Amino acid sequence: MHSQKEILSTIDMIDHQHLDVRTITMGISLLDCASDSVEVTAKKIYEKITRLAKDLVKTGEDIEKEFGIPIVNKRISVTPIALVAAACKETDYTPIAVALDEAAKKCGVNFIGGFSALVHKGMTKADENLINSIPSALASTERVCSSVSVASTKAGINMDAVALMGKIIKKTADMTGEAHGFGCAKLVVFANAVEDNPFMAGAFHGVGEAECVINVGVSGPGVVYHALQKCKGKPFDVVAETIKRTAFKITRMGQLVASEASRRLGVPSGIVDLSLAPTPEKGDSVARILEEMGLECCGTHGTTAALALLNDAVKKGGVMASNHVGGLSGAFIPVSEDEGMIEAALKNSLTLDKLEAMTCVCSVGLDMIAVPGDTSASTLSAIIADEAAIGVVNTKTTAVRIIPAVGKSVGEMVEFGGLLGSAPVMPVHGFSSENFILRGGRIPAPMHSLKN
């Protein structure tokens, strides 16, 4: 039983500290939707998703009303479409993306993820077809998200795929140029991608998953920030313990929602993702947590150490509160979605290089970063390669979600709206990486990958 004090504390977190469940994500296997026709495959996909997820949004809303817990997003993830469409004779998979979009609209979910390919060791013809379909797919849909895995600790870095993804990001930006490259906000490139991630744009339903599962992603940067205000000047041991205790409370709420949604939908409960996911709202920022530890501005010296402490303490506190922890689990640092990060970038305290260093210790990588619209495809690929190397060598998930802001230059703002927020266009290095990217091939896996 919960004490009256604990109940009142949770109510205060929800009312005044931006505590919420960021997403309930239903993962759906589409392997049985394969056929030799894109049209038939698309029809099967639409029918299966709308059948299994028809009550997802209503169930989430019912839980919100009954328990008073805000659930910001209801989402769907599906089997990587490159696997489902492999038998199709057609090479353009855009009609499948359209079917996903229509199914998402029918079910009322915010986003659907899984227009994806896993090419960390090599590409099949279906993988190439899907990747080449990404610009058209994202330009012609509203709710579809796409991801590509280009590296892993076991396989190394597929530099041919890295080179191709620089071009794909560039083309996607151009095809959504009227919105300053907004399509790229729905596209992420991974190293060590996980198959139970409930967060967009990188969610997909892995082949090791059950037929249908419920995954939940919690949030709560505002709650952690508020808790740290009570231990000003205290040593880092106290800071870490405070974050751990707070993360436990946040995750318990997520576990409650996961169990309840699973029971009501008659679908197995998958994982709770412990990640602190910020929003553009004041008081809901990961950057402000780091500054509360004593930094004048996020991005200054000491930021990486502060983020390492935060990420570790969140995991230690959250893992005790959940039956099964998975996904990405840590602290996100998306520039456009964090008002503190935005301010730090505008002050030039937070640079692309510093963000790269921070990704060594956060839960994902370079996220929702706007760069000049004229940034070359080879530079985009080189940024992906750097981030993939961090993930591969450190045996962690890293990712790049970068937006070449069409028509924008350094210092200008790009507005995405909603939870995606806005971002200042950040400078990239002016020296070329083209000859490096043109080599192709595969960067070998590190020595510590040989564990069998």
Side-chain angles (χ1 to χ4, degrees):
M1 292 292 290
H2 296 287
S3 69
Q4 184 181 29
K5 183 178 179 182
E6 288 175 317
I7 294 170
L8 291 173
S9 173
T10 302
I11 291 171
D12 186 58
M13 290 178 188
I14 292 170
D15 288 345
H16 304 294
Q17 300 168 32
H18 301 280
L19 176 60
D20 58 53
V21 167
R22 188 53 48 88
T23 180
I24 293 178
T25 301
M26 177 179 280
I28 300 174
S29 172
L30 299 181
L31 290 173
D32 57 349
C33 295
S35 79
D36 62 355
S37 163
V38 161
E39 183 179 345
V40 173
T41 301
K43 183 179 179 181
K44 287 184 175 181
I45 286 172
Y46 177 86
E47 290 175 349
K48 183 168 188 180
I49 292 172
T50 53
R51 172 170 53 85
L52 291 179
K54 65 181 187 302
D55 296 324
L56 176 62
V57 171
K58 182 181 183 301
T59 299
E61 291 172 345
D62 288 345
I63 293 171
E64 281 185 276
K65 292 173 185 175
E66 290 178 37
F67 291 89
I69 299 172
I71 301 172
V72 180
N73 295 293
K74 293 83 177 174
R75 297 165 171 169
I76 296 169
S77 64
V78 299
T79 308
I81 292 299
L83 300 177
V84 182
C88 295
K89 56 183 181 293
E90 298 92 342
T91 58
D92 182 9
Y93 297 166
T94 303
I96 295 178
V98 172
L100 291 171
D101 201 47
E102 292 301 317
K105 291 175 183 176
K106 177 71 173 178
C107 295
V109 297
N110 308 90
F111 287 110
I112 185 166
F115 196 77
S116 306
L118 311 177
V119 298
H120 37 275
K121 200 170 183 180
M123 284 186 275
T124 66
K125 188 61 182 174
D127 293 326
E128 290 183 36
N129 291 342
L130 182 127
I131 291 172
N132 287 324
S133 301
I134 287 173
S136 172
L138 296 184
S140 57
T141 59
E142 295 177 19
R143 309 183 191 198
V144 172
C145 292
S146 179
S147 60
V148 178
S149 169
V150 298
S152 74
T153 298
K154 292 293 290 184
I157 306 173
N158 183 348
M159 290 301 291
D160 292 324
V162 169
L164 178 57
M165 286 311 300
K167 297 174 183 176
I168 292 298
I169 291 170
K170 189 77 174 169
K171 187 174 181 181
T172 301
D174 290 340
M175 290 187 69
T176 55
E178 290 184 4
H180 303 295
F182 176 72
C184 297
K186 301 185 291 175
L187 172 60
V188 60
V189 184
F190 274 117
N192 289 321
V194 296
E195 61 178 16
D196 55 5
N197 172 19
F199 286 102
M200 302 297 170
F204 63 85
H205 186 72
V207 294
E209 295 286 305
E211 179 75 9
C212 185
V213 297
I214 289 292
N215 297 320
V216 167
V218 297
S219 187
V223 181
V224 175
Y225 172 73
H226 186 269
L228 289 186
Q229 289 179 316
K230 298 176 182 178
C231 54
K232 290 183 183 294
K234 299 288 180 65
F236 283 114
D237 312 75
V238 177
V239 171
E241 185 64 23
T242 301
I243 295 171
K244 282 165 56 180
R245 291 176 182 274
T246 306
F248 180 87
K249 293 179 182 179
I250 294 169
T251 308
R252 286 305 286 171
M253 186 184 73
Q255 179 62 51
L256 169 65
V257 170
S259 300
E260 200 57 30
S262 170
R263 182 183 67 80
R264 296 185 185 201
L265 289 166
V267 172
S269 179
I271 56 93
V272 174
D273 189 314
L274 312 177
S275 298
L276 293 183
T279 72
E281 294 290 324
K282 284 189 177 294
D284 201 26
S285 161
V286 169
R288 300 305 185 198
I289 296 174
L290 307 181
E291 291 169 356
E292 186 61 29
M293 292 185 200
L295 304 173
E296 182 179 359
C297 185
C298 180
T300 192
H301 305 296
T303 299
T304 305
L307 182 58
L309 183 155
L310 174 64
N311 208 54
D312 181 64
V314 165
K315 291 181 180 182
K316 286 175 178 174
V319 73
M320 292 293 292
S322 175
N323 294 343
H324 299 285
V325 171
L328 302 168
S329 289
F332 287 176
I333 52 171
V335 175
S336 77
E337 299 174 16
D338 186 309
E339 61 87 16
M341 296 281 179
I342 295 168
E343 183 176 316
L346 289 170
K347 290 179 176 178
N348 295 318
S349 174
L350 194 62
T351 64
L352 195 55
D353 288 342
K354 184 59 178 179
L355 280 164
E356 182 182 303
M358 293 165 67
T359 64
C360 296
V361 299
C362 77
S363 69
V364 197
L366 296 172
D367 196 12
M368 287 303 290
I369 294 169
V371 296
D374 60 0
T375 302
S376 68
S378 61
T379 294
L380 296 172
S381 293
I383 292 170
I384 293 169
D386 283 343
E387 196 58 33
I390 290 172
V392 166
V393 171
N394 291 287
T395 319
K396 71 182 292 293
T397 302
T398 54
V400 173
R401 185 162 49 147
I402 193 166
I403 300 101
V406 177
K408 297 285 187 177
S409 56
V410 173
E412 294 186 87
M413 293 294 293
V414 186
E415 297 288 339
F416 300 118
L419 285 176
L420 297 177
S422 60
V425 177
M426 303 177 78
V428 299
H429 287 286
F431 296 98
S432 175
S433 308
E434 186 168 5
N435 289 336
F436 175 77
I437 296 301
L438 285 174
R439 286 180 178 271
R442 185 149 55 99
I443 293 178
M447 189 66 187
H448 59 261
S449 68
L450 302 176
K451 291 183 177 180
N452 288 336

